[in-house]
Amino acid sequence: MEVIAKTKGLKKYYGEGAGMVKALDGIDLEIEKGKFTMIVGTSGSGKTTFLNLLGGQDRPTEGSICVESTRIDTLPEAELAVYRRNKVGFIYQNFNLIPMLTVEENILFPLDMGNEKPDQDFFEELVETLGLADRLSALPGELSGGQKQQAAIARALITRPSLVLADEPTGNLDRRSGQNVLGLLKMMNQRYHQTMVIITHDLDIAQTADRIIRIEDGKLWEGRENNVSAGQR
């Protein structure tokens, strides 16, 4: 088993005294490279906080986060920004596409931020696989919800990141579109061997994962891979 990310004693607290909120309260977790991992939990359980810490979008109150042997929780802000740009692909529930940019420009935006040139063959393969080849000149406002998320997936993968982190990627989609997007994520995981960590509240969706992790009240629930029984729901 090759571990790509590891957290130890991970805590994130907000506020002080009686009003303190323990969003995460001591998470020890290893994430295997190339796996399709789902994080489940009720609203406010701490799962989004965990994803934000893993992606370098926030810093922990205590504990360590290692990604590919680098302690990202101790990185200076400038180096953390490089980590976010080069090592992590983010997929959001609300897509986060830039309205005035075309689909192609949105997909290539992370490369433009780093003044990098795209691998044209990889770009063409990516948009063809995701069904976007004929929508590259369209603006986000001209796309369906499913197409917007497909563009967001392409944008997340274009830098070939070590980690792809998705926060409720099907949350704003109807059931059919959500299933299509999830299928595309799974296919991308298998084709490009990307390590994917996905938050979902839908336990039926979670069953497609290689591994299911549950976080409740800021603590890790020790679940079994590929198995969340009806009694555990």
Side-chain angles (χ1 to χ4, degrees):
M1 177 187 76
E2 185 176 358
V3 174
I4 191 171
K6 181 178 181 179
T7 69
K8 185 71 175 176
L10 192 62
K11 298 180 180 180
K12 183 64 180 180
Y13 296 169
Y14 298 97
E16 297 179 353
M20 179 183 288
V21 175
K22 297 182 178 182
L24 290 178
D25 195 22
I27 300 290
D28 297 337
L29 182 65
E30 293 183 348
I31 295 173
E32 295 178 48
K33 185 174 183 179
K35 291 288 188 178
F36 193 75
T37 299
M38 291 278 196
I39 299 178
V40 300
T42 55
S43 178
S45 62
K47 54 190 188 297
T48 295
T49 299
F50 177 79
L51 209 70
N52 288 340
L53 291 172
L54 191 61
Q57 294 177 308
D58 201 357
R59 292 186 184 271
T61 304
E62 292 182 24
S64 63
I65 310 167
C66 289
V67 178
E68 294 185 326
S69 302
T70 297
R71 280 281 302 273
I72 69 165
D73 57 288
T74 62
L75 289 177
E77 187 55 42
E79 293 181 37
L80 195 59
V82 173
Y83 164 78
R84 289 192 297 264
R85 186 175 67 241
N86 295 338
K87 296 291 188 178
V88 186
F90 296 98
I91 304 171
Y92 301 95
Q93 181 176 341
N94 60 355
F95 319 123
N96 277 19
L97 299 176
I98 301 173
M100 68 286 299
L101 298 184
T102 66
V103 168
E104 180 172 1
E105 290 167 338
N106 267 285
I107 293 170
L108 296 177
F109 186 73
L111 294 175
D112 292 339
M113 289 287 289
N115 294 315
E116 300 176 43
K117 292 184 178 180
D119 178 331
Q120 194 61 33
D121 289 340
F122 179 62
F123 171 76
E124 291 175 4
E125 178 185 357
L126 197 57
V127 297
E128 185 67 35
T129 302
L130 288 166
L132 293 169
D134 61 347
R135 304 296 287 156
L136 294 179
S137 61
L139 294 172
E142 300 170 326
L143 303 179
S144 67
Q147 290 171 331
K148 289 177 183 177
Q149 200 57 291
Q150 289 164 15
I153 293 169
R155 179 185 58 192
L157 296 179
I158 193 65
T159 61
R160 304 190 194 214
S162 302
L163 284 171
V164 178
L165 307 178
D167 191 353
E168 296 279 8
T170 63
N172 280 338
L173 303 175
D174 60 58
R175 189 72 179 176
R176 181 176 179 182
S177 297
Q179 289 174 339
N180 288 341
V181 164
L182 188 72
L184 287 170
L185 285 170
K186 187 71 173 178
M187 179 174 64
M188 291 301 180
N189 164 253
Q190 294 170 341
R191 176 170 293 189
Y192 300 119
H193 309 292
Q194 298 281 6
T195 303
M196 296 193 177
V197 182
I198 301 171
I199 287 176
T200 184
H201 65 276
D202 189 329
L203 290 174
D204 290 331
I205 284 177
Q207 296 296 334
T208 65
D210 297 320
R211 184 184 184 192
I212 298 169
I213 296 166
R214 188 164 191 158
I215 296 177
E216 292 292 353
D217 298 323
K219 295 183 181 293
L220 186 65
W221 172 81
E222 295 293 344
R224 283 179 245 165
E225 294 190 6
N226 263 337
N227 182 28
V228 177
S229 69
Q232 293 165 327
R233 295 187 187 189

